[in-house]
Amino acid sequence: MSTVTKVSNIHGVSVEYNQPLGLFINNEFVKSSDQEKIKTFNPSNGEYIVSFYAASEKDTNLAIDVAERAYCSSWSNTTPNERSELLDKLYHLTKKNRELLGTIETLDTGKPFHSNSLNDIDQILEVIRYYSGSCDKLTTGETFITENNYHRYTVKQPYGVVGLIVPWNYPLAMAAWKLFGCLAAGNTVVIKPSEHTSLSLLYYGKLLVEAGLPPGVVNIIPGYGEITGRAIAMSDKLQKLSFTGSTRVGKLMMEMSGQSNMKDVTLECGGKSPAVVFRDANLDNAASWIATGICYNSGQNCTATSRVYADKNIYNELISKIVEEIKQNWKISSTFDPFDDDGTLGPIINNTQYDRVTDFIHVGSHIEKLNRIDIFKELGECKGNYINPVIFTDVPQTSVLIQNEIFGPVLTISKFTTYDEVVKLVNDSRYGLAAAAFTEDYRLAHQFTKEVEAGTVWINSSNDECIGMPFGGFKMSGIGRELGATGVESYLQTKSVHFNLR
Ligand code: NAD
């Protein structure tokens, strides 16, 4: 069930590895029941990579049954120490396979290998270490002082089998954010990667086996959203579902939960994160973080700081600095090869997303007729889905570019005059994932932190996550939190016990 795929790396040397192509169920890679396969392509050159099996509804239900058996027969009896030891082994295996996992990620997503894919793997290592350490530090609940003849307390218990559904922008990292906290809490798992980027998670199945994870504890089932994702969300056997992806599909998750067994749902959805630059800000610092916020992962980032509001007094200077910053540090490789070190901007994941981003650029340029800054010359002949960063200035709040998540390297910059005005503009969005503010005035910074409607606030930085802290959105950016202690708690349910001592 394996194939050997050739990958050319940075030095032009070929790397060969065994890429599993089957569904990973009960620690084995198996064909799908209907033999359906999905083709995956390299977004940096459009070349076909390989086809892997797609789980049907029947396969999905089988994976859930297997996970349920694994929970009842073995995993629910493991001690926190045993779970911690397994996560430790995974940590070391992930570290040992760091370069290969990064290579697979770059092959399948086009992310620049050194500046992006390896960062993803390094963050995954931090996540595993955090949750390995958390297994034996889970508190069991609270006790309550009530009547003398009663002992009342709460206990936290795993759900059993949990369904996890993840997107394509950080294929392995988004899986890691959910998977390791969920396992630490004592659940078994059925996880679906995006149909566009399933290779790295499938490969990770091999490491799960090598680490000695009991069969059925983690089942990886690639497939289409409408089939595999739907079968997970509609399952009556899952009491918990955790989803990362678009707000549109996040809403469907809630509907499907309601149509089936009202399972608990955690949602990490879209964003349209603002960056506000006040007149006293350190503009070099602001420009640098804003450029990172919109260019990292080519803007395919739920927390991309994609709309900038700048005080009118520093407006022009800030724009020049952002342009310069991007010119210096955010370039597409001259060879269009993401393994080549001279590029920090990768391609857009697929043709559909490419068309979506270029449509927004077209609307901004030709329908709304906004001022547009093209930082780089037009791209030469290339087969990949590359888009150079584009900045639109003096953008009105009503623009579709401000009201929608674009998910590409497209930045809007607008002017403001007063604090009250800018807070209104910032909060005028259906999203509330993250926000950044740049100022040296700590009173203003605290006021902004309090008034902005966002799950994460950065003061004088942007997109510098800390895996020990909760992450999630206000408004239509999501429900619930991941990472930190909440990354385990959200996979535990609370039971209240009333113990009559008479
Ligand atoms: P998407 O919603 O299209 O897909 C996400 C996952 O849901 C995929 O595995 C997909 O196969 C599945 N899916 C799609 N349609 C489905 C359906 N009808 N039923 C069941 N499952 C279905 O999102 P995407 O395009 O893969 O990812 C980009 C989106 O993810 C962006 O909106 C981005 O902001 C969001 N995102 C959010 C966070 C966060 O933490 N808040 C992190 C990363 C990405």
Side-chain angles (χ1 to χ4, degrees), residues 258-276:
Q259 284 163 20
S260 54
N261 62 343
M262 246 171 82
K263 56 182 70 63
D264 186 87
V265 181
T266 294
L267 300 176
E268 294 288 355
C269 297
K272 187 71 193 177
S273 302
V276 179

Side-chain angles (χ1 to χ4, degrees), residues 283-326:
L283 296 190
D284 291 325
N285 183 54
S288 165
W289 283 109
I290 287 167
T292 303
I294 192 61
C295 292
Y296 192 77
N297 214 30
S298 299
Q300 302 170 111
N301 200 349
C302 54
T303 51
T305 34
S306 53
R307 53 187 176 119
V308 170
Y309 298 95
D311 184 292
K312 67 178 192 319
N313 294 292
I314 47 91
Y315 186 75
N316 291 330
E317 193 184 349
L318 180 73
I319 292 173
S320 311
K321 283 181 187 284
I322 294 174
V323 168
E324 198 47 37
E325 182 66 33
I326 294 178

Side-chain angles (χ1 to χ4, degrees), residues 9-29:
N9 76 3
I10 180 174
H11 306 299
V13 181
S14 286
V15 172
E16 285 188 3
Y17 73 97
N18 287 324
Q19 173 62 56
L21 302 173
L23 318 175
F24 181 72
I25 299 177
N26 216 19
N27 276 11
E28 283 176 8
F29 291 100

Side-chain angles (χ1 to χ4, degrees), residues 395-423:
V395 183
Q397 186 68 10
T398 48
S399 167
V400 295
L401 272 58
I402 284 200
Q403 294 299 331
N404 292 281
E405 181 181 48
I406 298 174
F407 233 52
V410 181
L411 184 69
T412 66
I413 310 188
S414 317
K415 220 177 267 164
F416 72 87
T417 308
T418 65
Y419 172 84
D420 288 345
E421 178 196 357
V422 77
V423 167

Side-chain angles (χ1 to χ4, degrees), residues 19 72 80 150-152 248 286-287 339 349 354-355 385 396 403 410 485:
Q19 173 62 56
C72 297
Y150 268 89
H151 184 193
R152 300 186 199 266
R248 181 187 69 80
F339 289 97
I349 189 71
Y354 177 89
D355 290 346
N385 296 323
Q403 294 299 331
V410 181

Side-chain angles (χ1 to χ4, degrees), residues 165-170 174 177 192-196 223-226 229-230 233 243-250 252-253 256 268-271 301-302 353 405 407 433 471 477 482:
I165 299 178
V166 292
W168 49 259
N169 60 340
Y170 293 91
M174 287 298 100
W177 281 26
K192 187 191 107 51
S194 165
E195 54 271 46
H196 306 297
Y224 294 107
E226 295 74 11
R230 186 181 157 80
F243 165 85
T244 299
S246 61
T247 293
R248 181 187 69 80
V249 179
L252 290 178
M253 292 293 145
M256 288 189 273
E268 294 288 355
C269 297
N301 200 349
C302 54
Q353 282 298 118
E405 181 181 48
F407 233 52
L433 194 55
F471 177 90
S477 287
E482 304 203 281

